[in-house]
Amino acid sequence: NRQSLTEKTCNKLIRVPDGVKIYQKLLTNQLIIIMRKHLLLKLLFVCFVLTSPCVKAGNGGYLFAHMRHEDYGRLYYYISRDAKNWTKLNNNERVVPDYRGHPDIMKGRDGRYYMIGVSEKTQNPVLWTSRDLVKWKQEKELSAEPFIHIEGYFTERAWFGAPKLFYDKDSDQYLITWHACKTGATGKEEWTSMRTFYILTKDFEHFTTPERLFDFQSEADREMATIDAIIRKINGTYYAVIKDERWPEDGVPTGKTVRISHSPNLTGPYTDPGQPVTTPYTYYEAPILMPQPDNNGWMIFSEKYPHEYVRFQADRMDAEKWDCTDLTIPDSRHGAMVRISEKEYKKILSGFKH
């Protein structure tokens, strides 16, 4: 039958041998199978991306406020959905031109955000506030007295020991921590004599007398120098994430690493710190503690100074070992992170060029 041996192409009859036609049919069937498989893979990939808590639009993300090595003490922003991929905001220029300090951002009882800077003119601490993390204002200049009147210790007034903030809902108080060195210490001794102090306030007008925050008892850590300590409360326990400011070259393996201590009480006593979170014999500082995007574990970002932040992670705060990832944030120094809502994420993106 001529019709069964032909195919109509471009209105012309072309004779096709039976064997070739069977082969064509087999190829066509295989092609359809492959296309269906690829379509299934594409659909699975799309479903994974849309349901992944790390990247799902609508879940907000992370704001990273930090300084840069080339512009020390000034404020810059990066933003991310998943704490892996970061976008530089405001064309990587200062986001608050007048801010000067070591940024640490806290959400207060009134829902506003707070951070402390330093006035170049008066060399006093300055309290900054914001409702949306886009526009900041100088709320008030704070008295330097609570920071500098520590018997036997000296707080330099250029940066006031990089003060950190924490609002404790249970006691309805604000905790401010900072580090100070022994009076008269210079050079290396200035840093090996650093200790962490704290004050409490309910209104940023009246402050308690400064006190030492840590009193470690083990022989190895009794004289541990501490800086950049942050306090966070998780499941009823207060955690202190601290930099061990001793030198590994002096026979202290934990020197220049980030370590964790904990306490049932805001002001301690805190336990002797655990093993390093960060890589030993590598200089780290300015730690940041954040929940993972899926809330199934924790991340500690730490400045591998002076040029980048490195991400460490674990499934729980008391993990014996934190994994060092290959996730870094380049061109960043001393900073803080805020977990932000979807509304805040969009507001911040629309408020700055990127």
Side-chain angles (χ1 to χ4, degrees):
N1 186 319
R2 182 177 177 82
Q3 185 64 32
S4 65
L5 297 175
T6 60
E7 292 289 343
K8 189 176 256 186
T9 306
C10 298
N11 297 320
K12 291 184 180 180
L13 291 174
I14 302 173
R15 184 173 180 80
V16 180
D18 289 341
V20 173
K21 189 168 184 179
I22 293 171
Y23 186 65
Q24 284 180 328
K25 189 174 182 179
L26 289 172
L27 286 177
T28 301
N29 290 339
Q30 289 299 316
L31 182 60
I32 291 171
I33 292 171
I34 292 171
M35 289 177 67
R36 285 175 177 170
K37 286 183 177 179
H38 277 273
L39 180 59
L40 181 59
L41 288 173
K42 287 180 180 178
L43 288 172
L44 288 172
F45 176 75
V46 170
C47 289
F48 171 78
V49 170
L50 291 179
T51 58
S52 171
C54 299
V55 297
K56 185 177 179 182
N59 283 359
Y62 300 84
L63 179 68
F64 179 34
H66 63 96
M67 61 177 73
R68 298 174 60 207
H69 188 62
E70 295 78 8
D71 199 15
Y72 195 85
R74 302 298 182 170
L75 189 62
Y76 293 80
Y77 274 178
Y78 295 168
I79 197 169
S80 175
R81 285 279 190 195
D82 55 12
K84 296 179 181 179
N85 304 289
W86 296 89
T87 299
K88 297 179 180 181
L89 299 182
N90 205 40
N91 291 330
N92 207 27
E93 297 177 353
R94 298 177 185 178
V95 294
V96 184
D98 294 335
Y99 178 81
R100 179 179 177 274
H102 291 67
D104 184 55
I105 299 175
M106 164 204 69
K107 197 169 190 176
R109 76 164 68 87
D110 57 3
R112 292 190 300 169
Y113 291 98
Y114 293 76
M115 65 178 174
I116 293 178
V118 182
S119 168
E120 283 188 278
K121 183 177 180 180
T122 65
Q123 286 195 312
N124 284 332
V126 177
L127 184 68
W128 291 76
T129 61
S130 174
R131 294 193 178 275
D132 56 11
L133 295 166
V134 176
K135 295 181 179 179
W136 288 88
K137 70 173 184 178
Q138 296 188 36
E139 183 80 8
K140 65 177 71 174
E141 191 167 294
L142 304 177
S143 170
E145 297 302 307
F147 295 89
I148 61 177
H149 282 171
I150 310 172
E151 185 177 355
Y153 284 84
F154 170 76
T155 303
E156 46 78 28
R157 297 187 66 164
W159 304 110
F160 278 92
K164 313 297 181 192
L165 293 163
F166 174 69
Y167 172 60
D168 183 44
K169 290 182 180 180
D170 289 350
S171 63
D172 189 31
Q173 296 181 99
Y174 295 99
L175 174 81
I176 305 175
T177 61
W178 74 98
H179 48 260
C181 67
K182 286 186 177 179
T183 303
T186 59
K188 187 176 180 179
E189 184 189 2
E190 177 184 351
W191 294 100
T192 57
S193 69
M194 286 288 182
R195 299 294 184 269
T196 299
F197 292 84
Y198 74 89
I199 50 178
L200 297 167
T201 181
K202 287 181 176 288
D203 53 13
F204 292 98
E205 291 285 349
H206 306 89
F207 301 91
T208 60
T209 301
E211 301 282 349
R212 278 267 300 272
L213 184 56
F214 306 120
D215 184 22
F216 302 135
Q217 297 299 306
S218 70
E219 183 177 349
D221 296 318
R222 190 174 295 121
E223 296 301 321
M224 174 177 161
T226 61
I227 70 169
D228 297 342
I230 58 172
I231 305 298
R232 300 292 183 262
K233 190 175 186 180
I234 301 169
N235 297 329
T237 298
Y238 294 93
Y239 288 91
V241 186
I242 318 158
K243 180 191 177 183
D244 184 336
E245 186 56 342
R246 296 173 292 185
W247 264 259
E249 293 85 352
D250 291 342
V252 182
T254 58
K256 306 301 183 186
T257 68
V258 170
R259 305 170 69 186
I260 299 174
S261 180
H262 60 87
S263 172
N265 305 304
L266 175 63
T267 58
Y270 281 85
T271 62
D272 293 335
Q275 291 301 307
V277 169
T278 56
T279 311
Y281 299 98
T282 306
Y283 285 25
Y284 284 95
E285 64 183 22
I288 298 167
L289 177 64
M290 280 282 113
Q292 293 192 33
D294 57 4
N295 291 316
N296 189 25
W298 297 92
M299 306 179 291
I300 288 180
F301 293 83
S302 186
E303 180 193 335
K304 185 180 179 182
Y305 61 89
H307 296 301
E308 66 180 6
Y309 262 77
V310 177
R311 172 173 155 178
F312 298 81
Q313 58 191 37
D315 58 358
R316 63 184 193 277
M317 285 298 297
D318 61 353
E320 291 185 7
K321 183 180 184 300
W322 288 65
D323 296 325
C324 179
T325 73
D326 58 358
L327 302 171
T328 62
I329 312 176
D331 190 25
S332 58
R333 294 204 63 179
H334 203 117
M337 279 187 198
V338 181
R339 185 76 177 268
I340 52 177
S341 67
E342 181 66 14
K343 182 179 179 181
E344 291 172 322
Y345 186 94
K346 290 179 177 178
K347 176 79 172 181
I348 295 166
L349 272 185
S350 64
F352 298 101
K353 297 177 182 179
H354 56 90

